[in-house]
């Protein structure tokens, strides 16, 4: 089945230690998104790629970066995780302006 | 700025009853309104969506209505079942460049009791 895959599902890191979360898709969608979702809150868009073009939301901290080496894969890099970065990180994809489909998420714990 | 208000924040119903969740949006340029269901520890799953040229859409036990004049849309679930228990998010979106920017409501936690 075509889908959005996120690895790992759970990630534990230490305060200040860089961490990378990955997302892959078999939908061949040209737009990929990264959202942050904290407990009992709605997802918050961090940035998205339209094809190879990177688009950062104005309020996304510099600590968060992303890479998209090809159509299928997208990575979220957190350079120096703080306690406040503990959250669920959701990857989503869409074909142009069509429906966004979400992956299962990676829950990040910062110790 | 862009805003979506969602009510109620929690909803408890008995199995077999109907559930209604309401959302109001502020951006008159919004033209696409998806509803997502999120179970504990999982990603949001699209359950139904509606575009601004349609007033109502139904898929089995789920229906969505849209009132563009009032900037109001609602999710209706009939004959609720315990597996409907989850957090439901509404969203309003409009085209920004090559993608639809989603503005989410705060979510409604639905509990269906057997």
């Amino acid at each position: 089945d075509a889908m959005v895959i996120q690895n790992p599902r759970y990630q534990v890191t230490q305060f200040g230690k860089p961490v990378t979360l990955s997302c892959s898709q078999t939908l061949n969608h040209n737009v990929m998104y990264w959202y942050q979702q904290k407990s009992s809150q709605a997802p918050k868009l961090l940035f998205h790629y339209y094809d190879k073009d990177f688009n950062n939301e104005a309020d996304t901290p510099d600590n968060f970066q992303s890479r998209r080496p090809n159509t299928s894969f997208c990575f979220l890099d957190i350079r120096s995780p703080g306690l406040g970065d503990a959250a669920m990180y959701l990857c989503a994809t869409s074909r142009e302006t069509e429906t966004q489909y979400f992956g299962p998420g990676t829950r990040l714990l910062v110790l | 700025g862009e805003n979506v208000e969602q009510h109620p924040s929690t909803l408890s119903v008995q199995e077999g009853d109907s559930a209604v969740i309401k959302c109001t949006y502020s951006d008159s340029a919004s033209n696409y309104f998806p509803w997502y269901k999120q179970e504990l520890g999982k990603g949001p799953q699209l359950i139904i969506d509606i575009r601004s040229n349609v007033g109502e859409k139904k898929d089995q036990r789920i229906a969505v209505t849209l009132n563009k004049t009032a900037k109001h849309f609602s999710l209706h679930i009939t004959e609720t079942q315990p597996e409907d228990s989850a957090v439901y998010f509404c969203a309003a979106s409009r085209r920004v460049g090559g993608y639809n920017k989603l503005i989410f409501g705060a979510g409604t936690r639905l509990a269906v009791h057997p």
Side-chain angles (χ1 to χ4, degrees):
Chain A
D1 289 340
M3 59 176 62
V4 181
I5 303 163
Q6 291 190 243
N7 286 304
R9 294 296 312 279
Y10 300 91
Q11 177 73 57
V12 181
T13 191
Q14 293 179 337
F15 182 94
K17 185 175 181 180
V19 65
T20 295
L21 310 181
S22 71
C23 176
S24 64
Q25 53 128 341
T26 60
L27 298 162
N28 201 31
H29 285 171
N30 65 318
V31 191
M32 295 187 77
Y33 312 77
W34 279 105
Y35 288 84
Q36 179 192 63
Q37 186 179 29
K38 295 192 175 181
S39 183
S40 301
Q41 296 183 19
K44 177 181 181 298
L45 182 64
L46 296 173
F47 28 59
H48 76 277
Y49 273 94
Y50 180 89
D51 294 328
K52 294 183 179 180
D53 294 332
F54 176 73
N55 298 272
N56 202 30
E57 292 298 299
D59 56 354
T60 298
D62 293 340
N63 199 25
F64 292 88
Q65 297 179 338
S66 185
R67 296 170 284 134
R68 188 178 186 185
N70 54 52
T71 300
S72 301
F73 284 86
C74 195
F75 300 98
L76 171 63
D77 299 309
I78 308 177
R79 290 191 297 181
S80 181
L83 298 179
D85 296 327
M88 173 81 92
Y89 290 88
L90 297 163
C91 174
T93 73
S94 73
R95 187 190 312 280
E96 298 285 338
T97 60
E98 296 176 6
T99 300
Q100 290 186 30
Y101 293 95
F102 285 83
T106 294
R107 182 163 296 281
L108 177 68
L109 180 62
V110 182
L111 301 178
Chain B
E2 303 153 341
N3 184 49
V4 174
E5 293 188 1
Q6 183 171 347
H7 299 281
S9 56
T10 59
L11 181 57
S12 182
V13 300
Q14 289 296 124
E15 183 177 1
D17 288 349
S18 295
V20 180
I21 303 171
K22 299 181 178 182
C23 291
T24 303
Y25 61 98
S26 61
D27 185 356
S28 57
S30 297
N31 58 4
Y32 174 63
F33 307 89
W35 286 87
Y36 289 90
K37 173 185 179 182
Q38 188 172 26
E39 297 176 337
L40 190 62
K42 298 183 178 180
Q45 297 298 305
L46 180 76
I47 56 171
I48 196 167
D49 56 11
I50 192 167
R51 297 194 180 272
S52 59
N53 58 347
V54 176
E56 183 174 357
K57 184 177 178 180
K58 188 174 182 180
D59 183 4
Q60 299 182 7
R61 297 186 297 108
I62 296 173
V64 58
T65 60
L66 171 64
N67 183 331
K68 279 210 72 179
T69 302
K71 297 182 187 173
H72 177 264
F73 59 114
S74 300
L75 177 71
H76 304 252
I77 306 174
T78 59
E79 301 173 23
T80 54
Q81 301 167 2
E83 49 266 39
D84 294 330
S85 298
V87 178
Y88 291 80
F89 290 99
C90 66
S93 73
R94 62 177 175 87
R95 184 170 184 153
V96 178
Y99 82 109
N100 265 351
K101 181 171 184 176
L102 296 179
I103 306 299
F104 285 95
T108 296
R109 184 174 299 278
L110 174 64
V112 181
H113 301 286

